[in-house]
Each structure stands twice: as C-alpha cells, then as structure tokens.
Amino acid sequence: MLCVNPSFTSLLPSPLGKPRLIFPSNSRNPISCTLPGTVAEPKLTAAAEPLLLNAVRGLDVERPPVWLMRQAGRYMKSYQTICEKHPSFRERSENVDLVVEISLQPWKVFKPDGVILFSDILTPLSGMNIPFDIVKGKGPVIFDPIHSAAQVDQVTEFIPQGSVPYVGEALTILRKEVDNKAAVLGFVGAPFTLASYVVEGGSSKHFSKIKRLAFSQPKVLHSLLQKFTTSMARYIQYQADNGAQAVQIFDSWATELSPVDFEEFSLPYLKQIVDTVKKTHPELPLILYASGSGGLLERLALTGVDVVSLDWTVDMADGRRRLGPNITVQGNVDPGVLFGSKEIITDRIHDTVRKAGRGKHILNLGHGIVVGTPEENVAHFFEVAKGIRY
C-alpha cells in the first residue's frame, strides 16, 4: 500500500489489502493512500453535486464535508462591523441584502461545504400573529406569551411567501452566489422548541410554563404544536422551492422532555413534518439537531430525517452505532475546543472523523460557535477538515 504526502513517501502495510484512513499528525498536507496501480485520490461520484449532498446520499466522497453551526456570527470581525451599523438583529435577519452579505461572510473566508441562511428559528412568528423581538443582551422576547386555548386560536396560518419573502429572495441569491460549489442550507425551528419560546415568553432555565401546559392542558399544547407543525412543513417546502438544498430542523428544547414525553409532544410532530416534506420534496435532505440528545438518539432516528446532528456529549462512535448505518451523522466536535491550541483542534477533528468512519458523515461542531472564539482557530478548523482524505 502506497501512502503519499508532499513531504514524504513511504510503504505501509494494510490489513486485508484495504486502504486505511490515515491522518498526518503534524502536517497541513493530507496523506493519500492507495493500493498499487490505483490513483492517489478517491474518485468522486456525481461530482456536479455539492460534496455535502453526495455524503448524505451515501455516495463515494473523498472526505467528509464540513460546515459549522453559527459559522456566520459574532466571532467574525466582519459581522461585528455590520452590527455596529445595524444594531437590530431583526433588521440584520430580515433585510435581503444584509442576510445575503452575512450568510456569505464565512463562505468568502473559509469556503465551507455548507452555506447556511442567516436567520432565526423565531422569524416565522410575526407571520403567525405572535409578536416578538430579539433584544441585545436578553435574547428572544415574546410580548404576549401563550397559555390558553383562546390565545392558540389567535395563532394564524403561516404563509411564507407573504410573511417572509426576504427569506426566499435571499436563498435564491445565495444559490447563484455559491454556484453549487457548496450546498445552500435552510433551517426551521421544531414545533416543541417554538412552543417553548412562545409559552415561556423567551428563553428558560426550568421550562416550568411549557411543562405546566403540557401536563395540565395537553389539548391546548397539542393544538399549538399542530399549528407549528403545519407551518414549519410549509416553511421547509418554501425554502427548498427558493434554493435551499438541505434544511436543518432545530429542536433545541425537546431534550428537556423525558423520553416518554418526547414521544408525545415532539416525535409525532417531527415525523409529520418529515412525511409532509418528503411527499413534495423526496430528495431534499433533512437534518435534525437537538442539543443534549444522548438519551433520545434512537427516537430521533424514528422521525425519518436523513441526518441526525450529534452534540459533543455523545461519543461519535457510540452515536454511529446507535443510529445505525442508514442515517448520516453530523457533528460533533465540542465548540469549546476552538478556544484551545491548534494541536488540540486538529486532534479532535481527526478523532471525530475516525470514529464516524468513511462516508455518511458531515463534520461539524456539537453546537454553534461560541461568542469570543478566535477567528483564526475557526480558519484552522476548516483548513484541517478540508485537508482530510479517506
């Protein structure tokens, strides 16, 4: 077996005559390994498609695609400059030109394999007659938290074309700008997570209000969850129709539920979204992320999504084993590692990729990039990740 690096060439034994996954420990140049008589680089299948889509579909890829949650955000100096000129998050996320500019900032610097729309999971709320704002230093604020059936009745049907036309326009522009060199990603909030925000009135530590509603007035909560389910399925379809090549569903707060309650208040609604979208967009990859989901992994797989994104508290090898071979995994480097040395970042990337195995893996963090993360460390993450070869 021949292994080649620009700095050296060596012959290494390989068990069973098969290529091994090998990473250089102290070199920025990837090692490529081949059997005698074959070319050094693995052959790409369906090269015209973005690498991320090929990986999700289980096609032959040369390396795991990489993008990072919150790759566009406050750790970037260029984003901070925009914030100085446009201090309102709502303005930054609802103005087409700003959405496109911010979404493309990491693309221009790092060239990730996924370019995700700059937006917020709460963006649809105004179009559902749920007034809100996102306040600097405080986060989401729901002006009239929902706690009764009468209030749920006032929640209106979400029509993306009329309520958030800037989302469709931005996605269309992003597709043209990225030009299929990466996958353009959309995203939505999951029903239970959205319900948590509008019932709690914003972020929460104990989720006592949403749980009080769940256990004292379950019919009211189910009615609200169904409205969000219908609306988010429509929102995903709208994003796909306007350029999104994959869509991530964030169920950030579902892991506050016990497994039995997850099966009642989250799982059936997630499954309904997936089933609805797959009827009209069968080839659209759907990614599901739920922070702290180690106790629910097998249940996440039951939703029917194509990709389950793991947080960093789950060992990647265990996650792969528990989810089975048919689901692509995403993640799951601890975002805190990006505060460490380049050697530690490199080690964690290699460990994650090695445990995920070849194919059907999207390299990412186990959560979004943390504010204050050194931008040069994010650059190093992408450099190392894009230098890997299976």
Side-chain angles (χ1 to χ4, degrees):
M1 177 178 175
L2 179 64
C3 291
V4 181
N5 181 283
S7 60
F8 65 87
T9 301
S10 62
L11 288 171
L12 299 176
S14 176
L16 303 178
K18 296 182 179 180
R20 290 183 295 162
L21 180 60
I22 298 179
F23 303 99
S25 58
N26 294 302
S27 172
R28 293 183 178 181
N29 298 312
I31 296 177
S32 297
C33 301
T34 69
L35 293 172
T38 63
V39 296
E41 292 294 321
K43 184 179 179 181
L44 269 175
T45 303
E49 289 281 1
L51 180 68
L52 187 147
L53 299 185
N54 288 337
V56 173
R57 292 165 182 161
L59 301 179
D60 187 30
V61 292
E62 62 181 359
R63 62 172 174 84
V66 57
W67 71 280
L68 302 181
M69 288 183 276
R70 291 183 185 164
Q71 64 188 17
R74 287 174 287 176
Y75 74 98
M76 296 191 76
K77 293 180 180 178
S78 56
Y79 179 76
Q80 295 169 15
T81 300
I82 289 181
C83 291
E84 293 174 0
K85 298 179 180 178
H86 306 277
S88 167
F89 181 88
R90 290 285 301 273
E91 181 189 3
R92 296 194 298 273
S93 61
E94 297 178 12
N95 176 286
V96 174
D97 293 338
L98 292 176
V99 169
V100 170
E101 181 180 356
I102 294 169
S103 301
L104 289 176
Q105 284 180 339
W107 165 249
K108 292 177 179 178
V109 178
F110 309 122
K111 288 296 186 291
D113 297 301
V115 176
I116 191 165
L117 175 77
F118 180 77
S119 187
D120 193 87
I121 63 171
L122 301 185
T123 294
L125 294 188
S126 293
M128 300 181 71
N129 195 32
I130 305 175
F132 82 102
D133 200 359
I134 298 177
V135 181
K136 184 177 180 180
K138 187 174 183 179
V141 176
I142 308 300
F143 296 131
D144 189 17
I146 291 175
H147 58 265
S148 69
Q151 288 176 296
V152 173
D153 289 340
Q154 296 301 311
V155 176
T156 58
E157 181 181 4
F158 180 59
I159 308 297
Q161 300 91 324
S163 300
V164 293
Y166 48 85
V167 168
E169 294 174 33
L171 285 168
T172 300
I173 295 171
L174 288 174
R175 276 296 296 274
K176 294 178 182 178
E177 291 288 332
V178 176
D179 193 29
N180 235 31
K181 295 180 178 67
V184 172
L185 309 176
F187 71 92
V188 304
F192 182 80
T193 291
L194 294 175
S196 295
Y197 276 111
V198 303
V199 172
E200 295 287 340
S203 300
S204 177
K205 289 184 177 180
H206 304 293
F207 298 87
S208 57
K209 296 177 182 177
I210 185 75
K211 291 191 176 184
R212 179 182 298 115
L213 189 64
F215 302 131
S216 66
Q217 302 182 73
K219 290 184 179 180
V220 175
L221 179 54
H222 280 299
S223 178
L224 180 61
L225 291 170
Q226 185 56 58
K227 288 196 173 188
F228 280 131
T229 298
T230 302
S231 295
M232 291 309 103
R234 183 180 294 118
Y235 194 24
I236 293 174
Q237 293 166 329
Y238 171 76
Q239 291 186 27
D241 289 340
N242 284 275
Q245 294 167 287
V247 175
Q248 180 154 309
I249 304 169
F250 285 88
D251 207 352
S252 309
W253 304 131
T255 51
E256 293 295 326
L257 295 168
S258 68
V260 66
D261 293 319
F262 177 82
E263 291 177 355
E264 178 176 355
F265 296 109
S266 183
L267 178 58
Y269 298 104
L270 289 169
K271 190 175 189 305
Q272 186 181 148
I273 288 174
V274 174
D275 290 345
T276 299
V277 172
K278 289 298 184 179
K279 287 178 182 177
T280 57
H281 300 76
E283 300 302 317
L284 179 71
L286 296 176
I287 307 167
L288 177 59
Y289 173 78
S291 179
S293 60
L296 297 172
L297 285 189
E298 291 82 0
R299 289 170 175 84
L300 297 185
L302 297 177
T303 61
V305 294
D306 305 280
V307 184
V308 170
S309 191
L310 306 176
D311 79 353
W312 73 92
T313 65
V314 178
D315 183 84
M316 176 56 79
D318 291 341
R320 172 70 90 180
R321 173 183 54 78
R322 291 171 60 189
L323 288 167
N326 296 324
I327 292 184
T328 299
V329 291
Q330 179 174 275
N332 67 335
V333 178
D334 183 345
V337 167
L338 292 177
F339 288 103
S341 67
K342 289 180 170 56
E343 289 76 18
I344 289 177
I345 295 170
T346 300
D347 177 73
R348 292 297 189 273
I349 291 171
H350 290 169
D351 179 68
T352 299
V353 173
R354 187 177 296 109
K355 289 178 176 177
R358 176 165 186 154
K360 294 186 81 67
H361 173 221
I362 302 169
L363 181 61
N364 206 313
L365 300 175
H367 200 279
I369 296 177
V370 179
V371 177
T373 296
E375 194 168 339
E376 61 269 23
N377 285 0
V378 176
H380 180 72
F381 189 103
F382 279 109
E383 182 180 17
V384 172
K386 296 183 77 172
I388 291 172
R389 292 296 180 269
Y390 284 132

